[in-house]
Amino acid sequence: MLQNRRRFIRDSSLGVLTFYLAGCEVEMTAEQAHRAGVTRQVFNEAEAEALGALAEVLLPGSIDLGLVEYVDQQLGAPLDQQMLMIKYLGVNPPFAPFYQGGLAALDQAATAAHGDRFAQLDSAQQTALVAAVAQGQVENWSGPPAPFFYFVLRNDAVDVTYGTKAGIEGLGIPYMAHIEPPSPWGQ
Amino acid sequence: MAKEKVDVVIVGSGAAGSNIAARLAAGGKAVKILEAGPDRTNDHLVSSGLWARRLKWSGAPVLEEGANPVGHVFNAGQGTGGSAMHHYAVWPRFHPQDFRCRSEHDRGLDWPISYEDLAPFYDLVQTESGIAGDAEREVWRPPGEPYPLPPVPLFPQGQILERGFDARGMKTAPLPLAVTSVAYQGRDPCIWDGWCDSGCPIGALANPVTVDLPKAFAAGAVLETDATVTRILTDAVGERATGVEVVNSAGERREVLADIVVLAAFSIQNPRLLLASATAQHPRGLANSSGRVGQYIMTHSAGLIYGLFKEPTQSFMGAFGGQLVNQDGYEKTTHSDSGAFGSYQWMIAQAVKPNDLLGIGPTRADLFGNDLHSFMKRAARGFATMTAVVEDLPVADNKVVLSDDQRDANGVPLARVTHTTDPQSKSLWDATLVEGQAIFKAAGADEVWTGPQGAMHIMGGTIMGADPATSVTNSYGQCHDLPNLVIAGPGLFPTSAGVNPTYTVHALAARSADHLLDNWGSAVV
């Protein structure tokens, strides 16, 4: 009975996140959502592009693991269902303005320095700009405190990459779950 | 407005509220527990640091200010079991000197009770909840019955760090944990998988859902979730609490009337409710004739030490709280040469996961890109950590007040919390970082680094005391101004000590409940 209930939970409400695909609600992992090209709820095209590019600099591979879709879905979820680390980093909800403000500032900084948006910069330019953001050394930064913005986004990338069963086991660490999570952002 | 009447209404289903509920219900009282968050049982828990964040506070925002914010959402919880659902079950006792800080050191405050007053309740609670430890090896431990359960096993991370303490002539003992090292009172033994932060679905860790709430329910107590208390009600002359006003997520308001009202909604929401329940007789807020409601908010500074070792540490094994303890620095003047004051302990060899705030990834926030991938791979093999629990001196200006201009959806002003660490406590935190790094080096670490001044636990805000002019409650948590309004939880602490608070929360709750049952007539009148 317990196992059946567990399976029910795992396969249903806790099993996956709810995304929107072709006007329909679809339950899937963030990685599946990334491959399927789901409809975003919060980010516009420019924001999604900047977030994806930033994620790849922070932790290569995280874009394919569905980081953009994960953050977007989470920002649209009820607060008591949210799992973003920003929830307990001293920022009061709603959290979307924090992300959108930071991504806009990133694009502005890229444009000021190189004449193009962050996603369009070459790898070396992106890495140098992220390093400057991390150290709070971007002039006329218009978003939330730059090092904190870096810290939050970096942790989201770590969550998506190393917070899942696949990510943990990929490091050679046995997952050892009492109750396995619903394979989010992994399989 | 709809009304119901019970003997006792308890606001909050966390450690304090659940313990009092179990005792008063067993004593024959009709008990109603109101919990603002969702209904949750151990069946709802998932072993994942991401899903665990749903156990954290998601109620009305708390506005945090000051140089060292208390980290409310991280430390607080919501839903059945409250914050204790994600606590790590490190249960040391406070020391006798913690109760006499003002008398002995002319700093901080005195408690209205001594260690000896609380000792019988520590003994009682450890039997009920089951604490694993080794009282003999814990040479700093105050007098008391030995632990009912054998100690936590030692894994490689603990063995490696123990070397460092040995090399520096410092002692270690198994960390006292309210975790079943063997089967206990129908609870399965822990499998030391390091998922305590996510709640413990097998009931090995002594959270309210596992220990106290089943007893409360068996004795007839009723838990109502999705029940946010918005106001404490009083009689016409303002001498007694008569119940609470409660609202659900559909916006339906009603009153729950009771002979005794227990506030067990943690250190921020308790004073918020008192302040928001001001009346003509209590214009500064209920139970606030002293002006102390909201004051003396405290949080332990976390002295975070990290290191990489050549040998495999298996840091994913064990309990989230750690494997070993050291309290060699418990004397409050240990580091007085550097201007530091207070007690501290080391929690040694915590189980860690790759992500989350206390995981491996954030410890090297300077790294990103492939450097971060590379670090994660090395750390997965040889990472080790320990944490100092650093006493926070009570400061009156570290306090909860009501926001002048921001309210929640129910119209209750938000809590505004200011906390700046006292310089002597900050110096003690600095000293622990120096000591901790030396221990890691002595243990043979290849790399050693430290973390920022984290905030662990939230205490104070409704302190107990002997003098009604300078405290909110008596030693049983009864408000000086309204004796049938009872406060429970770490908000009662006049000082924070240098150890984790949850065991003492239980002992105080047990003492309060016994007193109420023995003196029901005078408490209710």
Side-chain angles (χ1 to χ4, degrees):
Chain A
M1 186 62 196
L2 179 66
Q3 284 308 311
N4 288 341
R5 172 166 167 69
R6 290 300 195 196
R7 194 166 299 122
F8 173 76
I9 291 171
R10 192 176 64 216
D11 293 348
S12 59
S13 61
L14 287 179
V16 284
L17 303 174
T18 302
F19 293 93
Y20 294 87
L21 187 62
C24 301
E25 288 189 7
V26 181
E27 308 234 311
M28 59 178 80
T29 69
E31 186 179 10
Q32 291 165 341
H34 175 70
R35 288 199 297 266
V38 296
T39 306
R40 287 185 301 276
Q41 302 301 301
V42 175
F43 294 125
N44 63 29
E45 189 62 33
E47 290 163 347
E49 197 177 28
L51 177 58
L54 175 59
E56 277 304 283
V57 176
L58 291 170
L59 210 44
S62 54
I63 191 168
D64 286 341
L65 292 173
L67 180 132
V68 175
E69 290 75 16
Y70 165 66
V71 175
D72 184 82
Q73 190 277 343
Q74 285 285 293
L75 291 176
L79 184 61
D80 64 358
Q81 297 297 305
Q82 287 187 16
M83 301 179 286
L84 294 171
M85 196 197 280
I86 193 174
K87 183 174 177 177
Y88 49 60
L89 293 179
V91 178
N92 282 323
F95 304 124
F98 176 93
Y99 282 87
Q100 291 167 322
L103 294 169
L106 186 67
D107 268 345
Q108 287 169 14
T111 304
H114 304 291
D116 214 341
R117 293 170 43 228
F118 181 77
Q120 314 308 322
L121 305 187
D122 67 34
S123 176
Q125 290 170 327
Q126 288 180 334
T127 299
L129 184 52
V130 169
V133 169
Q135 292 161 26
Q137 293 175 344
V138 178
E139 286 188 17
N140 301 317
W141 175 261
S142 60
F148 183 57
F149 176 70
Y150 159 86
F151 183 74
V152 170
L153 273 291
R154 177 190 177 280
N155 283 325
D156 290 339
V158 172
D159 278 347
V160 168
T161 306
Y162 291 120
T164 64
K165 184 168 186 283
I168 289 176
E169 291 181 345
L171 288 169
I173 297 173
Y175 196 78
M176 298 189 300
H178 289 103
I179 304 301
E180 289 200 4
S183 306
W185 319 294
Q187 293 77 41
Chain B
M1 191 180 291
K3 295 181 182 179
E4 69 171 293
K5 171 71 170 57
V6 292
D7 293 333
V8 186
V9 63
I10 299 177
V11 184
S13 67
S18 298
N19 192 273
I20 287 186
R23 292 175 194 285
L24 295 186
K29 303 304 178 188
V31 175
K32 181 76 173 270
I33 310 169
L34 300 174
E35 166 57 48
D39 185 24
R40 189 176 287 125
T41 68
N42 283 340
D43 276 358
H44 293 99
L45 302 173
V46 175
S47 301
S48 159
L50 300 176
W51 303 97
R53 294 174 191 162
R54 292 179 171 178
L55 303 178
K56 305 284 187 178
W57 177 258
S58 56
V62 169
L63 310 173
E64 296 200 40
E65 300 171 359
N68 310 101
V70 296
H72 179 259
V73 175
F74 183 78
N75 283 302
Q78 198 173 29
T80 312
S83 317
M85 286 302 280
H86 59 72
H87 94 301
Y88 309 156
V90 180
W91 284 28
R93 298 177 183 220
F94 279 28
H95 289 218
Q97 59 182 299
D98 293 322
F99 298 83
R100 306 187 300 257
C101 194
R102 168 61 59 176
S103 300
E104 294 187 354
H105 299 283
D106 199 27
R107 291 175 177 83
L109 300 166
D110 279 346
W111 292 54
I113 51 172
S114 66
Y115 173 79
E116 289 71 26
D117 293 317
L118 213 49
F121 297 95
Y122 279 129
D123 288 343
L124 175 66
V125 167
Q126 75 175 12
T127 304
E128 295 170 343
S129 294
I131 303 183
D134 185 333
E136 284 191 22
R137 280 188 59 194
E138 218 179 294
V139 295
W140 323 270
R141 187 176 184 258
E145 293 295 317
Y147 294 114
L149 290 164
V152 47
L154 203 55
F155 297 100
Q157 184 190 187
Q159 293 165 353
I160 289 165
L161 295 184
E162 190 177 35
R163 281 193 322 232
F165 283 86
D166 287 347
R168 291 181 59 81
M170 299 174 73
K171 298 176 286 292
T172 54
L175 186 67
L177 290 168
V179 172
T180 50
S181 51
V182 295
Y184 188 70
Q185 295 185 353
R187 291 157 55 195
D188 286 339
C190 179
I191 60 172
W192 308 113
D193 58 351
W195 284 117
C196 313
D197 190 37
S198 310
C200 182
I202 65 168
L205 189 150
N207 68 38
V209 168
T210 294
V211 178
D212 283 327
L213 284 174
K215 292 177 184 171
F217 298 153
V222 175
L223 169 68
E224 183 178 328
T225 53
D226 182 23
T228 298
V229 170
T230 52
R231 188 172 182 83
I232 303 155
L233 306 170
T234 57
D235 62 11
V237 291
E239 293 177 352
R240 294 180 65 251
T242 56
V244 295
E245 181 186 82
V246 61
V247 62
N248 63 17
S249 52
E252 298 161 341
R253 287 179 191 266
R254 60 197 175 84
E255 293 180 356
V256 179
L257 306 179
D259 294 329
I260 298 273
V261 176
V262 178
L263 283 189
F266 208 23
S267 305
I268 306 299
Q269 301 302 322
N270 279 348
R272 177 184 179 224
L273 264 177
L274 291 171
L275 295 171
S277 300
T279 65
Q281 290 86 7
H282 302 276
R284 293 199 290 180
L286 284 190
N288 197 24
S289 63
S290 65
R292 296 300 193 203
V293 168
Q295 295 187 346
Y296 301 112
I297 289 291
M298 297 168 278
T299 181
H300 291 125
S301 294
L304 300 164
I305 312 295
Y306 309 117
L308 286 180
F309 290 81
K310 282 192 177 63
E311 60 261 65
T313 55
Q314 293 185 17
S315 59
F316 47 86
M317 294 294 295
F320 224 78
Q323 300 170 32
L324 295 166
V325 65
N326 169 280
Q327 295 183 349
D328 284 352
Y330 213 83
E331 285 300 319
K332 298 192 187 296
T333 55
T334 299
H335 293 282
S336 57
D337 289 351
S338 60
F341 177 84
S343 299
Y344 66 99
Q345 72 169 0
W346 288 108
M347 300 186 296
I348 303 159
Q350 284 92 36
V352 292
K353 302 297 178 183
N355 67 318
D356 203 33
L357 199 56
L358 296 180
I360 294 170
T363 71
R364 284 295 306 272
D366 57 316
L367 299 178
F368 65 90
N370 285 322
D371 290 344
L372 178 53
H373 277 308
S374 172
F375 166 74
M376 294 299 293
K377 289 184 176 65
R378 284 189 295 137
R381 185 174 189 277
F383 184 82
T385 183
M386 66 180 186
T387 303
V389 180
V390 179
E391 180 165 12
D392 188 31
L393 273 169
V395 175
D397 284 344
N398 286 338
K399 62 187 177 185
V400 178
V401 298
L402 297 181
S403 169
D404 292 331
D405 56 356
Q406 295 192 58
R407 294 171 183 266
D408 67 12
N410 299 314
V412 180
L414 299 185
R416 205 154 58 79
V417 187
T418 302
H419 183 269
T420 297
T421 306
D422 183 278
Q424 296 174 83
S425 305
K426 170 69 164 53
S427 294
L428 184 60
W429 176 73
D430 290 335
T432 64
L433 297 187
V434 173
E435 180 176 273
Q437 291 178 88
I439 293 166
F440 266 50
K441 286 172 186 163
D446 286 340
E447 297 174 37
V448 185
W449 69 103
T450 63
Q453 185 185 345
M456 288 187 291
H457 319 128
I458 306 175
M459 299 150 285
T462 50
I463 62 165
M464 60 165 62
D467 184 353
T470 57
S471 59
V472 179
T473 80
N474 67 15
S475 72
Y476 301 104
Q478 293 173 280
C479 292
H480 294 303
D481 298 346
L482 302 107
N484 76 326
L485 177 58
V486 178
I487 302 199
L492 294 171
F493 295 3
T495 60
S496 62
V499 294
N500 315 59
T502 306
Y503 190 12
T504 300
V505 166
H506 279 77
L508 286 175
R511 184 172 179 272
S512 292
D514 274 12
H515 177 79
L516 290 173
L517 287 172
D518 289 346
N519 300 274
W520 195 259
S522 60
V524 170
V525 173

